[in-house]
Amino acid sequence: MASIPLLRLSLRPQPLPSKPSTNVTASLPHPLRSTVKIPSLPKPVHRFRATQPISASSTTVPATDRLISAVAYFLPFFNGLQYGRFLFAQYPSLAVPLQPIMPIFSLYRSIPYASFVSFFALYLGVVRNPIFSRYVRFNALQAVVLDVLLVVPLLIQRIFNPGRGGLGFKLMVMGHNALFVFVVLCFVYSLVCTILGKTPYLPFVAEAAGRQL
């Protein structure tokens, strides 16, 4: 009968061993807890690669490219001056700003077939020449396209022949004045942009030039 209590004691579940405490200071005696300092582990440091900021650096256009591009726009400007004859007759003071370039214009007009020679020289010698940069060829092509567009009103004038009076003549005068103002604005805008090394985008011209280049 004495073995029954022993058997009961052996059948009781044994308590699981407790996990050792990770706190080091808890295992120290009470007087040492305040004096011993356990160094804390350093926090993980996330290292990132130092990246340099990307700056958009614009390439400087050479002076020769600017000069050739600026000279190219003189072709449509000289050919477009004929549309300003009505404004010059009505307002002679408009011709005063053009006095510095009148000797060049007179020389240009004195050369036979100067317009055709300049057109093909600019198109074949610059636009289709891979030696020049894209900046020069684009500006030269814009000048060529603008010069071609200026021929269309002359063809329309010769076809319809509005005469020297009436409504047709008034519409022709208004069209010539508008074309002259448009040509002057395009010339001044393109000249300033090319001098500064920027690319001018002329309305109705830049898109056609970009497709052909």
Side-chain angles (χ1 to χ4, degrees):
M1 297 299 293
S3 60
I4 294 176
L6 294 176
L7 182 60
R8 290 179 180 178
L9 292 176
S10 61
L11 292 177
R12 289 182 182 179
Q14 298 294 328
L16 296 175
S18 60
K19 295 182 179 180
S21 177
T22 57
N23 192 356
V24 181
T25 57
S27 60
L28 295 176
H30 180 70
L32 297 178
R33 291 181 185 177
S34 58
T35 58
V36 178
K37 294 183 179 181
I38 306 300
S40 58
L41 296 176
K43 296 181 179 180
V45 179
H46 300 280
R47 296 181 179 179
F48 298 94
R49 293 182 179 180
T51 56
Q52 297 179 354
I54 301 175
S55 59
S57 59
S58 58
T59 57
T60 305
V61 180
T64 54
D65 292 356
R66 300 184 190 184
L67 179 60
I68 297 173
S69 301
V71 172
Y73 288 102
F74 276 91
L75 174 65
F77 177 69
F78 283 162
N79 294 333
L81 287 178
Q82 58 183 332
Y83 292 106
R85 63 179 184 271
F86 298 108
L87 285 177
F88 291 146
Q90 187 175 0
Y91 305 102
S93 59
L94 293 177
V96 176
L98 302 178
Q99 292 299 326
I101 62 174
M102 288 309 295
I104 304 176
F105 179 70
S106 300
L107 178 63
Y108 175 78
R109 300 293 293 180
S110 63
I111 301 175
Y113 305 103
S115 178
F116 293 98
V117 174
S118 301
F119 177 85
F120 286 105
L122 191 61
Y123 182 75
L124 298 177
V126 178
V127 176
R128 295 304 178 186
N129 195 343
I131 298 177
F132 295 99
S133 63
R134 181 179 175 84
Y135 178 83
V136 175
R137 291 188 289 117
F138 176 78
N139 285 285
L141 186 56
Q142 271 201 138
V144 168
V145 173
L146 181 59
D147 188 65
V148 171
L149 293 179
L150 292 178
V151 181
V152 177
L154 294 178
L155 296 177
I156 297 175
Q157 179 182 344
R158 292 180 180 180
I159 292 173
F160 292 98
N161 192 12
R164 293 292 180 178
L167 180 61
F169 179 76
K170 292 181 180 180
L171 292 177
M172 183 190 69
V173 172
M174 294 174 59
H176 280 217
N177 295 339
L179 282 174
F180 175 74
V181 174
F182 176 74
V183 170
V184 171
L185 292 178
C186 289
F187 174 72
V188 174
Y189 167 70
S190 303
L191 194 64
V192 172
C193 288
T194 51
I195 291 175
L196 297 178
K198 299 180 180 180
T199 304
Y201 294 97
L202 302 180
F204 312 108
V205 179
E207 185 176 356
R211 291 177 181 177
Q212 297 181 14
L213 189 61

XYZ file of all heavy atoms in Angstrom, residues 4 70 110 186:
25
model
N 1.488 2.936 -3.420
C 0.453 3.706 -4.132
C 0.730 5.186 -4.051
O 0.695 5.899 -5.043
C -0.935 3.346 -3.579
C -1.242 1.876 -3.911
C -2.015 4.257 -4.150
C -2.549 1.379 -3.319
N 22.504 82.196 -87.973
C 21.972 83.557 -88.074
C 21.974 84.054 -89.516
O 21.012 84.690 -89.965
C 22.774 84.490 -87.182
N 21.656 92.944 -106.559
C 22.414 93.219 -107.783
C 22.979 91.962 -108.432
O 23.318 91.984 -109.617
C 23.567 94.191 -107.471
O 24.482 93.604 -106.556
N 9.638 86.838 -87.456
C 10.383 85.580 -87.514
C 11.880 85.834 -87.610
O 12.685 85.129 -86.985
C 9.911 84.753 -88.705
S 8.255 84.059 -88.536
